[in-house]
Amino acid sequence: MPKNHGKGGKNRRKGKNENELERRELIFKEPGQEYAQVLKMLGNGRLTAHCFDGTERLCHIRGKLRKKVWINGGDIVLIGLREYQDSKADVILKYSPEEARRLKEYGQLPENARLSDDINAEEGDDDIAFDDVNIDEI
């Protein structure tokens, strides 16, 4: 067996993803595209999303995003609609929370859209009040 004299594997050759710090240009929807919020991840590169046109669709994550961009429930995504299947769509782009906020400011997203930041802020109010009950009385 030959000895491995290299300086790492393929992960070292890929390099680090340092472009996250830059602000990219905001991409708006075009005809045949729609904004959606992820409801549930199904596995195998699929998810269910609630589109802001009022339809719930089964979406497929395209190969370019599949292992590079992690999508979770509550994320805002841009989907491409299929002309031949209205109940299915393809995920084109995932918006960061800051980009989703900017879309909402521009009026692209409806006012009732709950962004993931809004959901996390509401979950922080977990004040639980317990009644003072004597344990001997129970």
Side-chain angles (χ1 to χ4, degrees), residues 37-77:
Q37 187 164 23
V38 178
L39 295 177
K40 186 177 181 184
M41 296 299 296
L42 300 175
N44 199 22
R46 294 178 302 143
L47 56 94
T48 56
H50 176 72
C51 302
F52 292 125
D53 62 356
T55 311
E56 194 169 307
R57 291 185 171 94
L58 176 70
C59 300
H60 180 262
I61 303 171
R62 70 187 203 139
K64 189 175 180 181
L65 300 177
R66 199 164 186 171
K67 293 197 176 180
K68 294 175 177 59
V69 178
W70 292 104
I71 299 175
N72 299 313
D75 288 341
I76 303 295
V77 293

Short mmCIF file of all heavy atoms in Angstrom, two decimals, residues 37-77:
data_model
loop_
_atom_site.label_atom_id
_atom_site.label_comp_id
_atom_site.label_asym_id
_atom_site.label_seq_id
_atom_site.Cartn_x
_atom_site.Cartn_y
_atom_site.Cartn_z
N GLN A 37 -42.42 30.33 0.97
CA GLN A 37 -41.84 30.06 2.28
C GLN A 37 -41.83 28.56 2.50
O GLN A 37 -42.85 27.88 2.27
CB GLN A 37 -42.63 30.76 3.37
CG GLN A 37 -41.98 30.65 4.72
CD GLN A 37 -42.53 31.65 5.70
OE1 GLN A 37 -43.64 32.13 5.55
NE2 GLN A 37 -41.76 31.97 6.71
N VAL A 38 -40.70 28.03 2.93
CA VAL A 38 -40.54 26.59 3.12
C VAL A 38 -41.36 26.15 4.32
O VAL A 38 -41.24 26.71 5.42
CB VAL A 38 -39.05 26.23 3.31
CG1 VAL A 38 -38.89 24.74 3.56
CG2 VAL A 38 -38.24 26.66 2.11
N LEU A 39 -42.22 25.15 4.11
CA LEU A 39 -43.02 24.61 5.21
C LEU A 39 -42.33 23.42 5.85
O LEU A 39 -42.22 23.33 7.06
CB LEU A 39 -44.40 24.18 4.70
CG LEU A 39 -45.32 25.29 4.19
CD1 LEU A 39 -46.60 24.70 3.66
CD2 LEU A 39 -45.60 26.29 5.29
N LYS A 40 -41.86 22.48 5.00
CA LYS A 40 -41.32 21.24 5.53
C LYS A 40 -40.30 20.66 4.57
O LYS A 40 -40.53 20.66 3.36
CB LYS A 40 -42.47 20.25 5.72
CG LYS A 40 -42.11 18.97 6.40
CD LYS A 40 -43.34 18.12 6.59
CE LYS A 40 -43.02 16.83 7.29
NZ LYS A 40 -44.18 15.97 7.41
N MET A 41 -39.19 20.20 5.11
CA MET A 41 -38.20 19.50 4.30
C MET A 41 -38.60 18.03 4.22
O MET A 41 -38.92 17.42 5.23
CB MET A 41 -36.81 19.63 4.92
CG MET A 41 -36.29 21.05 4.96
SD MET A 41 -36.11 21.80 3.35
CE MET A 41 -34.87 20.77 2.62
N LEU A 42 -38.61 17.48 3.02
CA LEU A 42 -39.05 16.10 2.83
C LEU A 42 -37.91 15.12 2.64
O LEU A 42 -38.10 13.92 2.72
CB LEU A 42 -39.98 16.03 1.60
CG LEU A 42 -41.24 16.87 1.69
CD1 LEU A 42 -42.00 16.81 0.38
CD2 LEU A 42 -42.12 16.42 2.83
N GLY A 43 -36.72 15.61 2.36
CA GLY A 43 -35.59 14.74 2.08
C GLY A 43 -35.46 14.49 0.60
O GLY A 43 -36.36 14.79 -0.19
N ASN A 44 -34.31 13.96 0.19
CA ASN A 44 -34.02 13.65 -1.21
C ASN A 44 -34.11 14.90 -2.08
O ASN A 44 -34.51 14.84 -3.24
CB ASN A 44 -34.96 12.56 -1.72
CG ASN A 44 -34.42 11.88 -2.96
OD1 ASN A 44 -33.23 11.93 -3.21
ND2 ASN A 44 -35.30 11.29 -3.74
N GLY A 45 -33.76 16.06 -1.51
CA GLY A 45 -33.75 17.30 -2.29
C GLY A 45 -35.13 17.84 -2.60
O GLY A 45 -35.30 18.58 -3.57
N ARG A 46 -36.12 17.51 -1.77
CA ARG A 46 -37.48 17.99 -2.01
C ARG A 46 -37.99 18.69 -0.75
O ARG A 46 -37.52 18.44 0.35
CB ARG A 46 -38.40 16.83 -2.37
CG ARG A 46 -38.04 16.19 -3.68
CD ARG A 46 -38.93 15.02 -4.00
NE ARG A 46 -38.83 14.03 -2.93
CZ ARG A 46 -39.86 13.31 -2.49
NH1 ARG A 46 -41.05 13.43 -3.04
NH2 ARG A 46 -39.70 12.45 -1.52
N LEU A 47 -38.99 19.54 -0.94
CA LEU A 47 -39.60 20.25 0.18
C LEU A 47 -41.00 20.67 -0.21
O LEU A 47 -41.35 20.70 -1.38
CB LEU A 47 -38.76 21.47 0.57
CG LEU A 47 -38.44 22.51 -0.51
CD1 LEU A 47 -39.45 23.63 -0.51
CD2 LEU A 47 -37.06 23.08 -0.26
N THR A 48 -41.82 20.99 0.79
CA THR A 48 -43.11 21.60 0.52
C THR A 48 -43.00 23.07 0.87
O THR A 48 -42.39 23.43 1.87
CB THR A 48 -44.25 20.96 1.34
OG1 THR A 48 -43.92 21.03 2.72
CG2 THR A 48 -44.48 19.53 0.94
N ALA A 49 -43.58 23.91 0.02
CA ALA A 49 -43.49 25.35 0.22
C ALA A 49 -44.85 25.98 0.00
O ALA A 49 -45.63 25.54 -0.85
CB ALA A 49 -42.47 25.95 -0.75
N HIS A 50 -45.13 27.01 0.78
CA HIS A 50 -46.35 27.80 0.62
C HIS A 50 -46.00 29.01 -0.24
O HIS A 50 -45.27 29.91 0.20
CB HIS A 50 -46.90 28.25 1.97
CG HIS A 50 -48.09 29.13 1.84
ND1 HIS A 50 -49.32 28.66 1.44
CD2 HIS A 50 -48.24 30.47 2.02
CE1 HIS A 50 -50.17 29.68 1.39
NE2 HIS A 50 -49.53 30.78 1.75
N CYS A 51 -46.48 29.01 -1.48
CA CYS A 51 -46.21 30.13 -2.39
C CYS A 51 -47.09 31.30 -2.00
O CYS A 51 -48.21 31.12 -1.51
CB CYS A 51 -46.47 29.70 -3.83
SG CYS A 51 -45.49 28.29 -4.30
N PHE A 52 -46.61 32.50 -2.25
CA PHE A 52 -47.35 33.69 -1.87
C PHE A 52 -48.46 34.02 -2.86
O PHE A 52 -49.12 35.05 -2.72
CB PHE A 52 -46.40 34.87 -1.67
CG PHE A 52 -45.52 34.67 -0.45
CD1 PHE A 52 -44.15 34.75 -0.57
CD2 PHE A 52 -46.07 34.40 0.78
CE1 PHE A 52 -43.34 34.56 0.55
CE2 PHE A 52 -45.27 34.21 1.90
CZ PHE A 52 -43.90 34.29 1.78
N ASP A 53 -48.69 33.14 -3.84
CA ASP A 53 -49.89 33.28 -4.67
C ASP A 53 -51.03 32.45 -4.09
O ASP A 53 -52.10 32.36 -4.67
CB ASP A 53 -49.61 32.90 -6.12
CG ASP A 53 -49.19 31.45 -6.29
OD1 ASP A 53 -49.04 30.74 -5.27
OD2 ASP A 53 -49.00 31.01 -7.44
N GLY A 54 -50.79 31.81 -2.92
CA GLY A 54 -51.84 31.08 -2.21
C GLY A 54 -51.83 29.58 -2.44
O GLY A 54 -52.70 28.89 -1.94
N THR A 55 -50.85 29.06 -3.15
CA THR A 55 -50.80 27.64 -3.47
C THR A 55 -49.68 26.96 -2.68
O THR A 55 -48.64 27.55 -2.46
CB THR A 55 -50.54 27.44 -4.98
OG1 THR A 55 -51.43 28.26 -5.71
CG2 THR A 55 -50.74 26.00 -5.39
N GLU A 56 -49.93 25.73 -2.27
CA GLU A 56 -48.90 24.93 -1.63
C GLU A 56 -48.33 23.97 -2.67
O GLU A 56 -49.09 23.23 -3.32
CB GLU A 56 -49.49 24.16 -0.45
CG GLU A 56 -48.45 23.58 0.48
CD GLU A 56 -49.07 23.08 1.76
OE1 GLU A 56 -49.79 23.85 2.41
OE2 GLU A 56 -48.83 21.91 2.09
N ARG A 57 -47.01 23.97 -2.86
CA ARG A 57 -46.39 23.18 -3.92
C ARG A 57 -45.29 22.29 -3.39
O ARG A 57 -44.63 22.61 -2.40
CB ARG A 57 -45.81 24.10 -4.98
CG ARG A 57 -46.85 24.85 -5.79
CD ARG A 57 -46.19 25.65 -6.91
NE ARG A 57 -47.19 26.20 -7.81
CZ ARG A 57 -47.70 27.41 -7.71
NH1 ARG A 57 -47.33 28.19 -6.73
NH2 ARG A 57 -48.60 27.83 -8.58
N LEU A 58 -45.09 21.18 -4.09
CA LEU A 58 -43.96 20.30 -3.86
C LEU A 58 -42.81 20.81 -4.70
O LEU A 58 -42.94 20.95 -5.93
CB LEU A 58 -44.31 18.86 -4.26
CG LEU A 58 -43.20 17.84 -4.16
CD1 LEU A 58 -42.87 17.57 -2.70
CD2 LEU A 58 -43.60 16.56 -4.85
N CYS A 59 -41.68 21.15 -4.07
CA CYS A 59 -40.57 21.77 -4.78
C CYS A 59 -39.35 20.86 -4.76
O CYS A 59 -39.12 20.12 -3.81
CB CYS A 59 -40.20 23.10 -4.13
SG CYS A 59 -41.53 24.29 -4.15
N HIS A 60 -38.56 20.96 -5.81
CA HIS A 60 -37.34 20.20 -5.98
C HIS A 60 -36.17 21.17 -5.94
O HIS A 60 -36.19 22.19 -6.63
CB HIS A 60 -37.38 19.45 -7.32
CG HIS A 60 -36.15 18.65 -7.58
ND1 HIS A 60 -35.13 19.11 -8.36
CD2 HIS A 60 -35.79 17.43 -7.14
CE1 HIS A 60 -34.18 18.20 -8.40
NE2 HIS A 60 -34.55 17.17 -7.67
N ILE A 61 -35.15 20.88 -5.11
CA ILE A 61 -33.98 21.75 -5.02
C ILE A 61 -33.04 21.41 -6.16
O ILE A 61 -32.66 20.25 -6.32
CB ILE A 61 -33.26 21.58 -3.67
CG1 ILE A 61 -34.22 21.85 -2.52
CG2 ILE A 61 -32.05 22.48 -3.58
CD1 ILE A 61 -33.68 21.49 -1.16
N ARG A 62 -32.68 22.40 -6.96
CA ARG A 62 -31.84 22.12 -8.11
C ARG A 62 -30.43 21.77 -7.67
O ARG A 62 -29.99 22.10 -6.57
CB ARG A 62 -31.85 23.29 -9.09
CG ARG A 62 -31.16 24.52 -8.61
CD ARG A 62 -31.39 25.65 -9.59
NE ARG A 62 -30.32 26.63 -9.45
CZ ARG A 62 -29.74 27.23 -10.46
NH1 ARG A 62 -30.10 26.95 -11.68
NH2 ARG A 62 -28.79 28.10 -10.25
N GLY A 63 -29.71 21.10 -8.55
CA GLY A 63 -28.41 20.53 -8.20
C GLY A 63 -27.37 21.53 -7.76
O GLY A 63 -26.51 21.23 -6.93
N LYS A 64 -27.41 22.74 -8.30
CA LYS A 64 -26.42 23.76 -7.94
C LYS A 64 -26.54 24.17 -6.47
O LYS A 64 -25.56 24.51 -5.83
CB LYS A 64 -26.61 24.98 -8.84
CG LYS A 64 -25.54 26.02 -8.72
CD LYS A 64 -25.76 27.12 -9.74
CE LYS A 64 -24.67 28.17 -9.63
NZ LYS A 64 -24.88 29.25 -10.59
N LEU A 65 -27.77 24.13 -5.93
CA LEU A 65 -28.00 24.52 -4.54
C LEU A 65 -27.96 23.33 -3.58
O LEU A 65 -27.87 23.52 -2.37
CB LEU A 65 -29.38 25.17 -4.39
CG LEU A 65 -29.67 26.43 -5.18
CD1 LEU A 65 -31.11 26.85 -4.93
CD2 LEU A 65 -28.74 27.54 -4.79
N ARG A 66 -28.05 22.14 -4.10
CA ARG A 66 -28.40 20.97 -3.30
C ARG A 66 -27.50 20.75 -2.09
O ARG A 66 -27.97 20.58 -0.97
CB ARG A 66 -28.41 19.74 -4.19
CG ARG A 66 -29.17 18.62 -3.59
CD ARG A 66 -29.49 17.60 -4.64
NE ARG A 66 -30.34 16.58 -4.07
CZ ARG A 66 -30.93 15.66 -4.77
NH1 ARG A 66 -30.77 15.63 -6.06
NH2 ARG A 66 -31.68 14.76 -4.20
N LYS A 67 -26.19 20.72 -2.27
CA LYS A 67 -25.31 20.47 -1.13
C LYS A 67 -24.53 21.70 -0.70
O LYS A 67 -23.78 21.65 0.26
CB LYS A 67 -24.33 19.35 -1.49
CG LYS A 67 -25.05 18.04 -1.67
CD LYS A 67 -24.12 16.87 -1.63
CE LYS A 67 -24.93 15.60 -1.71
NZ LYS A 67 -24.14 14.42 -1.68
N LYS A 68 -24.70 22.79 -1.41
CA LYS A 68 -23.94 24.00 -1.09
C LYS A 68 -24.75 24.98 -0.25
O LYS A 68 -24.19 25.69 0.58
CB LYS A 68 -23.48 24.68 -2.39
CG LYS A 68 -22.48 23.84 -3.16
CD LYS A 68 -22.13 24.47 -4.47
CE LYS A 68 -21.09 23.69 -5.23
NZ LYS A 68 -21.43 22.33 -5.53
N VAL A 69 -26.05 25.06 -0.46
CA VAL A 69 -26.91 25.99 0.26
C VAL A 69 -27.89 25.19 1.10
O VAL A 69 -28.66 24.39 0.56
CB VAL A 69 -27.68 26.90 -0.73
CG1 VAL A 69 -28.61 27.84 0.01
CG2 VAL A 69 -26.72 27.68 -1.60
N TRP A 70 -27.85 25.38 2.41
CA TRP A 70 -28.73 24.64 3.29
C TRP A 70 -30.05 25.40 3.46
O TRP A 70 -30.07 26.56 3.81
CB TRP A 70 -28.07 24.42 4.65
CG TRP A 70 -26.90 23.51 4.53
CD1 TRP A 70 -25.59 23.86 4.55
CD2 TRP A 70 -26.94 22.10 4.32
NE1 TRP A 70 -24.81 22.74 4.38
CE2 TRP A 70 -25.61 21.65 4.23
CE3 TRP A 70 -27.97 21.17 4.20
CZ2 TRP A 70 -25.28 20.32 4.03
CZ3 TRP A 70 -27.63 19.85 4.00
CH2 TRP A 70 -26.32 19.43 3.92
N ILE A 71 -31.15 24.70 3.20
CA ILE A 71 -32.48 25.28 3.28
C ILE A 71 -33.20 24.65 4.46
O ILE A 71 -33.19 23.43 4.62
CB ILE A 71 -33.25 25.06 1.97
CG1 ILE A 71 -32.51 25.73 0.82
CG2 ILE A 71 -34.66 25.60 2.07
CD1 ILE A 71 -33.11 25.47 -0.54
N ASN A 72 -33.83 25.49 5.30
CA ASN A 72 -34.56 25.02 6.46
C ASN A 72 -36.01 25.49 6.39
O ASN A 72 -36.36 26.33 5.56
CB ASN A 72 -33.92 25.56 7.75
CG ASN A 72 -32.50 25.10 7.91
OD1 ASN A 72 -32.20 23.93 7.74
ND2 ASN A 72 -31.62 26.03 8.21
N GLY A 73 -36.84 24.96 7.27
CA GLY A 73 -38.22 25.40 7.34
C GLY A 73 -38.31 26.86 7.73
O GLY A 73 -37.56 27.32 8.58
N GLY A 74 -39.20 27.61 7.08
CA GLY A 74 -39.37 29.02 7.37
C GLY A 74 -38.54 29.93 6.48
O GLY A 74 -38.73 31.14 6.50
N ASP A 75 -37.63 29.38 5.68
CA ASP A 75 -36.81 30.20 4.79
C ASP A 75 -37.64 30.71 3.62
O ASP A 75 -38.58 30.05 3.17
CB ASP A 75 -35.62 29.40 4.25
CG ASP A 75 -34.57 29.14 5.30
OD1 ASP A 75 -34.56 29.85 6.32
OD2 ASP A 75 -33.75 28.23 5.10
N ILE A 76 -37.27 31.87 3.10
CA ILE A 76 -37.91 32.44 1.92
C ILE A 76 -37.07 32.04 0.71
O ILE A 76 -35.85 32.23 0.70
CB ILE A 76 -38.00 33.98 2.02
CG1 ILE A 76 -38.76 34.40 3.28
CG2 ILE A 76 -38.66 34.55 0.77
CD1 ILE A 76 -40.21 34.00 3.30
N VAL A 77 -37.72 31.45 -0.30
CA VAL A 77 -37.03 30.99 -1.50
C VAL A 77 -37.74 31.54 -2.74
O VAL A 77 -38.90 31.91 -2.70
CB VAL A 77 -36.96 29.45 -1.57
CG1 VAL A 77 -36.09 28.88 -0.48
CG2 VAL A 77 -38.34 28.83 -1.50
#
